[in-house]
Amino acid sequence: MNGMNVLRLSHVCIRSTDLEKARYFYEDLLGFQETEKKGDMIYLRGIEEGQHHSLGIKLADSPGLSYIAYRVSDLDKAREELEDLKIQTRKFKEDGVDDAFLFIDPQGFPTLFYNDMEYVGDLRLDFHIHKGVSPVRLAHVNLMVKDLQEEVNFYKRMGFYETEEFLDKEGNPNIVWMTRLGQSHDIAMARSSSKVPGFHHSTYYVHDVKDIIRAADILASAKLWDSIERGPGRHGVTQGLYIYLRDMDKNRVEFFTSDYTVLDPDKWKVKVWTYDQSRYRSDFWGRPIPESWLKEWVPVEDLTGKLRGWNS
């Protein structure tokens, strides 16, 4: 069931305390393509994204998530569906998108629905301007939630379905991966008893493992060793090759490649990872996870654009 007419994950908007440092990190070093810089916003996209932007960076007094955006086929029907769920919406406009609305999902995440974004054209064959790691497209987002099942149920109503899950010591789901388009996942959500709702990271797909290694080489050569948080490595869950980076504000971004595609959703069986498989579930090569990755993420905004406090 997809009563909200969600077509796909579209873009994210994050907060930065210094737009020039953010521009240097994402555009000059990593190779995101700038559509435009306007006022207190920078709009970036990957080389295969024809839409106006998939990453918005907003000047703010602290890091965090401004919102996660999804494209829907019918904005009015999506609004009606949310009204049936007693979820308040607020009209919203951003560069490239004239008609949209914001709402807070059941676990507290600022979420934007829109139907039409300005199309500026992709750069897939403009090899002469590709640079950095050549980010391809926004792949997925990762959320920290208090009530995992409530969030899973909401995303199922949005048309997503589960691909994999990880169980805790008691055998209860602790992390769930879900997809809308059929790649290994468009969204992952993990249960946490503290610092929720929290935004853990956004992820961009790259074509080759060499791009992941290049990300580490670029940041090391720029003397940004502390921005290389985790990896390169391979996840057991999703089978993807990865590297996690932190920008100057400690917002986290992942580059990711080589996951699978679900060809027949109706025949897909959710891959379940038990607690005793956690070491190679997280990193197939069995390498430890940094404490920062396990314990640090950023807060999210409310409908007014102000950061909300942690629920716990």
Side-chain angles (χ1 to χ4, degrees):
M1 177 183 176
N2 182 17
M4 296 180 204
N5 304 289
V6 173
L7 298 173
R8 66 179 182 90
L9 171 68
S10 171
H11 55 286
V12 297
C13 181
I14 60 173
R15 297 159 53 99
S16 171
T17 61
D18 190 320
L19 287 186
E20 287 310 309
K21 286 183 178 179
R23 197 179 201 176
Y24 172 67
F25 185 83
Y26 288 98
E27 185 178 349
D28 295 344
L29 294 181
L30 297 178
F32 284 81
Q33 298 293 321
E34 182 178 312
T35 303
E36 65 176 326
K37 182 180 185 298
K38 193 170 183 181
D40 291 339
M41 287 288 302
I42 301 175
Y43 297 97
L44 305 173
R45 68 191 196 279
I47 59 173
E48 292 191 3
E49 294 176 311
Q51 65 187 46
H52 184 272
H53 62 278
S54 64
L55 176 61
I57 305 177
K58 180 177 79 170
L59 183 64
D61 58 6
S62 61
L65 172 72
S66 185
Y67 51 84
I68 303 169
Y70 299 87
R71 188 182 182 200
V72 300
S73 60
D74 190 313
L75 206 55
D76 291 333
K77 287 184 178 179
R79 186 183 291 107
E80 290 172 3
E81 182 84 3
L82 291 169
E83 288 174 355
D84 288 345
L85 295 173
K86 311 300 182 186
I87 293 177
Q88 178 185 359
T89 64
R90 182 172 73 85
K91 286 185 69 64
F92 188 82
K93 184 177 180 180
E94 62 178 2
D95 285 285
V97 178
D98 290 330
D99 190 13
F101 63 81
L102 274 172
F103 65 93
I104 301 298
D105 84 359
Q107 286 300 294
F109 287 90
T111 307
L112 184 141
F113 277 180
Y114 80 97
N115 170 255
D116 187 43
M117 180 186 284
E118 177 186 353
Y119 214 72
V120 295
D122 66 71
L123 303 167
R124 69 181 72 232
L125 294 178
D126 293 339
F127 297 108
H128 63 293
I129 63 173
H130 295 181
K131 60 182 180 179
V133 304
S134 300
V136 174
R137 63 180 181 274
L138 179 64
H140 60 264
V141 292
N142 188 295
L143 314 181
M144 306 301 297
V145 303
K146 185 173 184 178
D147 188 330
L148 178 60
Q149 192 57 56
E150 183 180 46
E151 196 78 338
V152 168
N153 291 343
F154 181 73
Y155 272 84
K156 284 183 177 179
R157 193 157 184 166
M158 286 171 63
F160 290 72
Y161 60 92
E162 293 182 49
T163 53
E164 307 196 31
E165 65 178 34
F166 172 59
L167 307 181
D168 62 17
K169 288 181 180 179
E170 289 71 41
N172 301 310
N174 196 51
I175 311 172
V176 171
W177 290 260
M178 305 183 77
T179 187
R180 178 74 187 95
L181 294 181
Q183 56 261 32
S184 65
H185 62 306
D186 299 295
I187 187 167
M189 49 193 77
R191 177 160 47 87
S192 177
S193 59
S194 63
K195 297 199 297 184
V196 290
F199 186 63
H200 197 276
H201 65 267
S202 57
T203 297
Y204 275 77
Y205 195 83
V206 293
H207 280 309
D208 198 292
V209 66
K210 291 186 292 185
D211 298 316
I212 288 173
I213 295 169
R214 181 164 170 74
D217 284 341
I218 288 171
L219 293 190
S221 65
K223 298 181 173 56
L224 294 175
W225 299 283
D226 291 342
S227 288
I228 306 169
E229 181 185 34
R230 180 182 174 192
R234 182 190 286 279
H235 292 305
V237 63
T238 78
Q239 80 183 32
L241 295 157
Y242 69 85
I243 188 169
Y244 292 93
L245 311 175
R246 307 291 290 274
D247 68 16
M248 282 73 157
D249 284 298
K250 297 299 183 182
N251 294 303
R252 182 180 287 111
V253 62
E254 177 190 20
F255 293 110
F256 178 86
T257 193
S258 301
D259 65 332
Y260 56 81
T261 300
V262 178
L263 298 178
D264 297 300
D266 61 316
K267 298 184 182 298
W268 180 258
K269 304 297 182 184
V270 176
K271 168 64 177 174
V272 178
W273 298 82
T274 58
Y275 186 78
D276 60 357
Q277 296 173 314
S278 59
R279 182 175 182 180
Y280 62 92
R281 184 276 305 169
S282 184
D283 187 284
F284 193 62
W285 304 333
R287 298 198 296 173
I289 306 173
E291 282 294 301
S292 62
W293 196 95
L294 292 170
K295 296 181 178 179
E296 296 177 11
W297 44 86
V298 296
V300 306
E301 291 183 352
D302 60 22
L303 284 182
T304 70
K306 295 180 180 179
L307 282 186
R308 56 181 296 168
W310 306 116
N311 285 348
S312 55

